[in-house]
């Protein structure tokens, strides 16, 4: 079956890793027609907006998008395209598997954590105001509806993927109402999923567990900000931002993207690691039920990282983006 997918190459290293990902998908035999639309800082210079309306229309029509990173200027100016996409398309669940690859930073060989991050509210709801000069306020918005659907998603994901435990990460000892609502809802939802063991941990203790004993963690469900921070911590455990993928899933659409940003420090040098976006595309293939194509790329990644010890410079190797992608595509062809 052929699929039409919206492709947003993005800013900085985005077009480089998007090209590599298209090559890997082509080598896998997946039949994809790309509808390319860009968004982000470079588009804003020509169009006066970081998110032209046809981008959202295309994703709404195709229901699936692959997205490169998009730069967000810090401070005043444009609202983050990433946050806007998640809110406009109600992509409420951000799934980030933190998995080690053979021989890469084997701090905890076999690390396999999945972070399910609520993607639409919390401190990222964009509710900020200056109360008076010198006093700013950000509102942490937590609703029972969003807590319930993200907890349901996490438990259903755990059941579907044969995982054992879902741990809620919170700070309800301090934020008794907002994080308390998440914790209380989690306990209710857990009762409907008796096959999965529920567990609870405070976010600071969880950060220590990541570093001390990551292999004890299984599926994590948490709020937007904690999930954002823990994802980068997890990425650091398994080799850095160059390899960790992600998926933004809603009821009507899904946008697949790496955890990393546009990496302006290495953009245009041809040395970015495309693995994170390629692994995000593998998640997309499974979402499209193209399991065989996805499994081929997974086997090829195990091979190039394992037997071939292929590494881009972020992982201490010497390969360029193109050389790494060449090796991967050759491996996909025989995987
Ligand atoms: P970043 O993730 O772009 O870079 C952090 C460090 O990791 C840099 O040293 C970079 O060279 C390295 N790195 C990241 N991805 C890499 C890859 N694939 N291969 C090799 N090295 C890689 O984070 P930073 O610098 O904080 O953000 C840059 C811009 O990206 C900002 O405008 C930020 O808002 C945006 N951003 C966008 C995201 C998205 O579109 N989902 C996510 C995170 C940040």
């Amino acid at each position: 079956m052929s699929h039409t997918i919206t492709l947003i190459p993005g800013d900085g290293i985005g077009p480089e890793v998007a090209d590599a990902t298209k090559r890997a998908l082509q080598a896998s035999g997946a039949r994809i027609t790309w509808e390319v639309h860009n968004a982000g800082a470079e588009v804003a210079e020509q169009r006066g907006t970081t998110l032209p309306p046809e981008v959202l229309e295309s994703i709404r029509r195709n229901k699936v998008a692959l997205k490169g990173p998009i730069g967000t200027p810090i401070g005043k100016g444009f609202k983050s395209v990433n946050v806007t996409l998640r809110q406009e398309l109600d992509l409420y669940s951000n799934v980030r598997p933190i998995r080690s690859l053979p021989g890469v930073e084997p701090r905890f060989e076999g690390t396999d954590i999945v972070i399910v991050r609520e993607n639409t509210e919390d401190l990222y709801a964009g509710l900020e105001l200056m109360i008076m000069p010198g006093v700013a306020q950000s509102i942490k918005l937590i609703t029972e509806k969003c807590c319930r659907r993200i907890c349901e998603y996490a438990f259903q994901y755990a059941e579907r993927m044969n995982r054992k435990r879902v741990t809620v990460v919170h700070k309800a000892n301090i934020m008794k109402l907002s994080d308390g609502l998440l914790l209380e809802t989690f306990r209710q939802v857990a009762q409907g999923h008796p096959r999965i063991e529920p567990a609870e941990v405070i976010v600071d203790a969880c950060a220590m567990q990541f570093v001390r004993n990551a292999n004890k963690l299984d599926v994590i469900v948490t709020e937007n900000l904690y999930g954002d921070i823990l994802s980068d911590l997890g990425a650091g455990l398994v080799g850095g931002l160059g390899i960790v993928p992600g998926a933004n899933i809603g009821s009507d659409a899904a946008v697949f993207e790496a955890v990393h940003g546009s990496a302006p420090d290495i953009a245009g040098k041809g040395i970015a690691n495309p693995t994170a976006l390629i692994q995000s595309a593998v998640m997309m293939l499974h979402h499209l039920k193209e399991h065989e194509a996805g499994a081929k790329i997974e086997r090829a990644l195990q091979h190039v990282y394992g037997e071939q010890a292929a590494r881009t410079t972020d992982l201490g190797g010497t390969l360029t983006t193109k050389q790494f992608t060449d090796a991967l595509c050759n491996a996909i062809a025989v995987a």
Side-chain angles (χ1 to χ4, degrees):
M1 188 185 163
S2 174
H3 306 274
T4 303
I5 307 289
T6 305
L7 175 68
I8 306 170
D11 294 318
I13 60 169
E16 301 166 47
V17 292
D19 271 354
T21 305
K22 277 164 70 181
R23 287 184 57 203
L25 287 176
Q26 193 170 9
S28 77
R31 287 172 49 204
I32 291 176
T33 305
W34 298 105
E35 210 172 279
V36 182
H37 290 286
N38 221 348
E42 285 161 31
V43 172
E45 282 172 25
Q46 298 141 24
R47 303 277 306 271
T49 170
T50 48
L51 187 60
E54 64 268 22
V55 182
L56 274 171
E57 283 159 21
S58 171
I59 303 174
R60 285 203 170 101
R61 193 169 51 245
N62 297 326
K63 310 225 176 294
V64 178
L66 183 69
K67 179 187 151 296
I70 288 177
T72 310
I74 293 174
K76 288 181 190 149
F78 297 104
K79 186 177 170 187
S80 159
V81 169
N82 304 314
V83 174
T84 309
L85 278 178
R86 292 166 191 170
Q87 289 174 349
E88 284 288 325
L89 298 166
D90 200 21
L91 304 171
Y92 66 90
S93 180
N94 190 333
V95 183
R96 293 176 160 183
I98 309 286
R99 243 168 241 145
S100 42
L101 282 163
V104 180
E105 295 253 349
R107 187 187 295 262
F108 303 107
E109 199 68 66
T111 296
D112 185 5
I113 306 166
V114 178
I115 298 176
V116 177
R117 161 186 167 194
E118 204 291 324
N119 222 8
T120 59
E121 54 177 19
D122 189 12
L123 281 159
Y124 291 35
L127 302 174
E128 278 199 303
L129 60 146
M130 294 301 294
I131 297 176
M132 62 177 81
V135 184
Q137 186 182 47
S138 291
I139 294 172
K140 174 174 165 126
L141 180 77
I142 301 290
T143 63
E144 189 190 336
K145 175 189 157 211
C146 290
C147 291
R148 190 167 298 282
R149 68 181 182 173
I150 196 67
C151 290
E152 272 297 347
Y153 185 94
F155 277 99
Q156 286 175 19
Y157 176 93
E159 286 168 348
R160 202 169 59 245
M161 305 302 277
N162 287 321
R163 312 287 299 215
K164 291 190 170 51
R165 192 182 324 112
V166 175
T167 301
V168 63
V169 177
H170 65 91
K171 191 79 185 172
N173 53 329
I174 304 295
M175 282 163 280
K176 294 178 194 297
L177 298 181
S178 53
D179 284 25
L181 186 56
L182 172 69
L183 187 56
E184 184 49 40
T185 312
F186 172 84
R187 288 173 180 163
Q188 290 168 13
V189 172
Q191 286 174 11
H193 301 272
R195 277 204 295 120
I196 305 295
E197 179 195 337
E200 301 170 5
V201 65
I202 291 174
V203 62
D204 35 346
C206 182
M208 190 182 71
Q209 270 191 37
F210 260 74
V211 181
R212 294 293 296 272
N213 200 350
N215 287 359
K216 279 212 160 154
L217 295 161
D218 191 343
V219 176
I220 283 174
V221 62
T222 192
E223 292 166 8
N224 212 335
L225 176 64
Y226 306 149
D228 196 2
I229 296 169
L230 289 176
S231 312
D232 276 34
L233 178 55
L237 284 182
V238 295
L241 288 165
I243 67 171
V244 179
N248 301 282
I249 313 273
S251 306
D252 301 320
V255 176
F256 296 82
E257 63 175 339
V259 169
H260 65 73
S262 57
D265 52 337
I266 58 164
K269 295 186 179 162
I271 56 168
N273 187 347
T275 306
L277 192 63
I278 290 171
Q279 296 213 86
S280 308
V282 169
M283 294 175 80
M284 182 183 84
L285 288 174
H286 289 302
H287 178 84
L288 295 168
K289 308 221 179 322
E290 295 286 350
H291 298 299
E292 183 43 37
K296 261 191 195 177
I297 302 179
E298 283 166 332
R299 287 194 292 272
L301 280 167
Q302 293 290 317
H303 178 74
V304 293
Y305 274 101
E307 281 92 332
Q308 288 189 12
R311 302 278 186 276
T312 40
T313 51
D314 55 313
L315 299 176
T318 56
L319 297 187
T320 62
T321 310
K322 182 178 178 309
Q323 288 166 334
F324 179 87
T325 311
D326 288 345
L328 182 65
C329 289
N330 289 338
I332 294 170
V334 293

